[in-house]
Amino acid sequence: MEPPHIGDAERLVDMRGMEMTLEAADFTAFVRTHSRSLYGTAYLLTGNPDAAEDLLQDTLAALFPKWTRVAEAERSVAYVRRALANRFISARRRPSARDLAVWELPDGPADLDVAVLVADRRLLWQLLLTLPERQRAALVLRYFHDLPDAEIAPALGCREVTVRSLISRGLATLRTRVSETERRGSEHR
């Protein structure tokens, strides 16, 4: 999955009919430097390359008019990551945006054990996509971006104890669903 084309930031600047101001140059440099990481976050949140690209572009387009505030933030990347998570969670609240998670069983022999099932990326993605958005966002930020609770909490707009709770509940749900999948697999043997 490739990140969105870097030229999108320049097009955004050009569409507004502005000269390349210092602010626009800073925005463009930020996008060039961090687009791969931010696209990765968006992809992990959405589970879909097209939706990830849309989420990232919409977030960057919304942040561009107030880029001075973003650039002045202590951690600009964290600010944008929080904006991504917030936009993802907000968009998922709309009934029209809800997708049904469709289970696709992995190909392979019927005698797979839990370790093999958990290692199967396809199954992990399917399970991750069934979690509520805030749990999924907390797990993505913790395990895919290696962020501590103290950094995840502001990104999700909650307290650290809530982050730990979201991660705990998300992992418990994943464990339960892996067990159910294993049970279903052993019933078919």
Side-chain angles (χ1 to χ4, degrees), residues 31-95:
V31 171
R32 285 180 193 269
T33 305
H34 300 288
S35 64
R36 182 172 293 286
S37 171
L38 293 171
Y39 175 77
T41 301
Y43 181 74
L44 291 169
L45 289 170
T46 63
N48 177 310
D50 297 325
E53 191 170 318
D54 289 344
L55 175 63
L56 179 56
Q57 289 177 354
D58 290 347
T59 302
L60 290 173
L63 291 175
F64 180 72
K66 47 188 163 195
W67 189 252
T68 305
R69 185 176 357 157
V70 176
E72 290 171 356
E74 188 175 316
R75 298 191 55 189
S76 300
V77 176
Y79 188 105
V80 175
R81 224 176 244 136
R82 178 177 181 168
L84 273 171
N86 288 344
R87 185 172 285 271
F88 169 73
I89 291 168
S90 294
R92 298 293 294 180
R93 286 185 181 137
R94 281 183 244 130

Side-chain angles (χ1 to χ4, degrees), residues 14-25:
D14 292 340
M15 284 191 310
R16 295 186 174 267
M18 296 182 201
E19 295 178 9
M20 190 69 142
T21 64
L22 187 56
E23 181 180 301

Side-chain angles (χ1 to χ4, degrees), residues 105-106 108-112 117 179-189:
L105 295 176
D111 60 342
L112 294 176
L117 289 175
S179 296
E180 291 169 358
T181 303
E182 180 187 45
R183 202 173 321 114
R184 273 187 257 131
S186 66
E187 290 172 0
H188 295 296
R189 287 184 204 167

Side-chain angles (χ1 to χ4, degrees), residues 3 12 17 23 54 61 68 82 98 111 119 136 138 147 149 153 155 163 165 171 183:
L12 180 63
E23 181 180 301
D54 289 344
T68 305
R82 178 177 181 168
R98 293 190 184 121
D111 60 342
R136 186 183 333 161
L147 296 179
D149 295 344
V163 169
S165 174
L171 290 174
R183 202 173 321 114

